Amino acid sequence: MTTHRTPVLTLLAALGTSALALPAHAAEDPSSSEATRVAILGDTPYGPEQTEQFPALVEEVNAADDWDWVFHAGDVKSGSTPCSDELLAHKLDLYNTFASPFVITPGDNEWTDCHREKAGQYLPTERLEHFRSTYYPDPSGTIGGESMPVTPQSEAQPQHAQSVENVLFRASQVTFATVHVVGSDNGEKPWDELPEGDHPAERMAEVEERRAANLDWIDHAFDAAEQQGDVAVALMMQAEPVVDVEGFAAERALILERAAAFDGPVLLLHGDEHVHEYEEAYGGVENLTRVETFGDTATEWLSMTVDPTTEEVFTFETHAVGDDEGPIVDTGVAAPGRAPLGALAGLSLLGLGGVTLRRARTA
């Protein structure tokens, strides 16, 4: 695939870092100024074609040995494919072929949407329990070719013992935290394709339990960053907590509140909508920037470099598998209020909030 190099586009504030455990390849001191490198995926691989393409993506990522970890923003399969043990295990085997530690947050397709007829009409809460037990076998460490120590919410906040998927870690003066926020209105959409119909009481009990955990975990991430003097916070989840959707209201409100009060930049990194885009001053909060990774593709992916010694601490690059010219320089994260310098080749600026790369979404 031919790519076009473009100048760095600036958006957000100089991000430093904080979190509670140390990535395997990062500086021994997580508060050091050594740069961190992250490969970012989401909503992949979908279907037989992408599953066949996926090893080439893994090979390309593995060819560069400087990744501190790989992040997957959830949805290991499409919403219209079976939620079977076999399929989920096969995807897990694929992810374990990455040489670097592999950090994943759940998506709706691997549990919430499993009530669908095409997904096998599984009870979603049973699938969530299965996903937690198989994808987080040791909550204090990641999957992937090399395990990275993390602090799970189940350990830090025992009242949320079920939330093994919410983890916290530190690197390059930034606090990174995964938060279990998913599509399908954050799990509130009815399970109406089950043979016996929806289970509203069970569905909403799960939502309320997970929401309570999420809110406590968001607070914990910001509290940890403030107590340790970290310069930035990065929250990683599957779905964007969009405005005017009740299922996202509590998490969105708390993120905006804590970000506005935080003395430093905050990054919200997610997937779900199958578009690559970024947005500064998210929700009207000057120091909060949203970045969405590619989805429904096994040939495109993002990477992020976190370098606290530069003004533009967070830099994003887009990659196309098999491209010999190297990555496209995509976005830099710089001081709040700085306007983007330009648009990516072949794309246009969609308003003043930044450059948006839009693709048609499939379920």
Side-chain angles (χ1 to χ4, degrees):
M1 178 182 293
T2 301
T3 60
H4 305 276
R5 298 180 185 277
T6 60
V8 172
L9 302 171
T10 59
L11 258 212
L12 189 66
L15 295 182
T17 85
S18 154
L20 292 187
L22 178 63
H25 305 295
E28 291 183 4
D29 178 3
S31 65
S32 87
S33 60
E34 183 174 331
T36 295
R37 294 263 292 154
V38 186
I40 304 168
L41 316 171
D43 304 86
T44 188
Y46 280 9
E49 182 179 1
Q50 290 178 27
T51 301
E52 185 176 346
Q53 294 169 338
F54 200 76
L57 187 156
V58 175
E59 182 177 3
E60 193 161 291
V61 171
N62 285 347
D65 60 2
D66 60 343
W67 303 112
D68 291 285
W69 71 89
V70 177
F71 172 62
H72 192 294
D75 275 7
V76 305
K77 53 176 281 301
S78 76
S80 58
T81 53
C83 296
S84 65
D85 290 0
E86 293 76 17
L87 183 59
L88 293 174
H90 178 57
K91 299 302 178 71
L92 178 59
D93 288 343
L94 287 177
Y95 300 145
N96 278 324
T97 62
F98 283 101
S100 301
F102 193 86
V103 178
I104 185 168
T105 188
D108 54 351
N109 288 351
E110 42 262 34
W111 71 273
T112 309
D113 298 339
C114 292
H115 68 92
R116 297 175 180 175
E117 184 176 359
K118 290 184 177 180
Q121 296 180 308
Y122 291 86
L123 183 65
T125 46
E126 183 277 328
R127 288 293 82 187
L128 175 56
E129 182 178 349
H130 176 77
F131 191 81
R132 283 170 166 162
S133 68
T134 54
Y135 278 68
Y136 308 93
D138 175 9
S140 63
T142 67
I143 57 175
E146 185 174 354
S147 181
M148 177 177 76
V150 296
T151 299
Q153 185 175 19
S154 56
E155 175 185 310
Q157 298 179 331
Q159 69 270 33
H160 302 300
Q162 78 286 348
S163 295
V164 295
E165 68 277 13
N166 286 347
V167 301
L168 201 70
F169 53 95
R170 295 185 70 202
S172 303
Q173 304 169 21
V174 176
T175 296
F176 296 88
T178 59
V179 186
H180 191 171
V181 175
V182 296
S184 295
D185 296 351
N186 207 7
E188 288 197 6
K189 282 191 174 180
W191 304 338
D192 51 13
E193 294 187 39
L194 290 174
E196 68 278 15
D198 189 20
H199 295 206
E202 183 174 357
R203 173 169 50 81
M204 290 309 299
E206 186 286 321
V207 168
E208 291 165 7
E209 179 182 61
R210 181 165 44 85
R211 178 171 294 136
N214 286 344
L215 297 178
D216 283 352
W217 201 233
I218 292 166
D219 273 335
H220 184 64
F222 281 98
D223 289 346
E226 290 170 352
Q227 290 165 9
Q228 296 170 123
D230 288 327
V231 298
V233 173
L235 301 178
M236 305 179 292
M237 58 190 62
Q238 191 232 346
E240 176 192 353
V242 295
V243 69
D244 295 333
V245 176
E246 182 60 31
F248 298 119
E251 283 94 341
R252 178 185 174 89
L254 184 59
I255 291 169
L256 298 184
E257 175 188 344
R258 292 303 304 256
F262 184 71
D263 186 19
V266 179
L267 177 66
L268 176 61
L269 181 62
H270 70 95
D272 186 42
E273 295 180 356
H274 306 173
V275 298
H276 163 44
E277 58 186 6
Y278 68 88
E279 179 182 358
E280 67 176 341
Y282 183 66
V285 178
E286 185 181 13
N287 64 322
L288 176 59
T289 289
R290 178 181 69 86
V291 176
E292 179 174 356
T293 187
F294 292 106
D296 193 16
T297 176
T299 61
E300 297 171 290
W301 52 287
L302 279 183
S303 65
M304 176 176 68
T305 300
V306 183
D307 186 350
T309 68
T310 65
E311 180 182 5
E312 295 176 356
V313 178
F314 282 76
T315 306
F316 291 87
E317 295 175 328
T318 63
H319 302 257
V321 174
D323 170 34
D324 294 332
E325 295 183 19
I328 306 168
V329 178
D330 184 3
T331 65
V333 178
R338 293 186 58 179
L341 297 179
L344 293 181
L347 298 167
S348 60
L349 267 171
L350 303 180
L352 298 179
V355 175
T356 303
L357 290 78
R358 296 198 176 277
R359 303 175 57 192
R361 182 184 181 194
T362 57

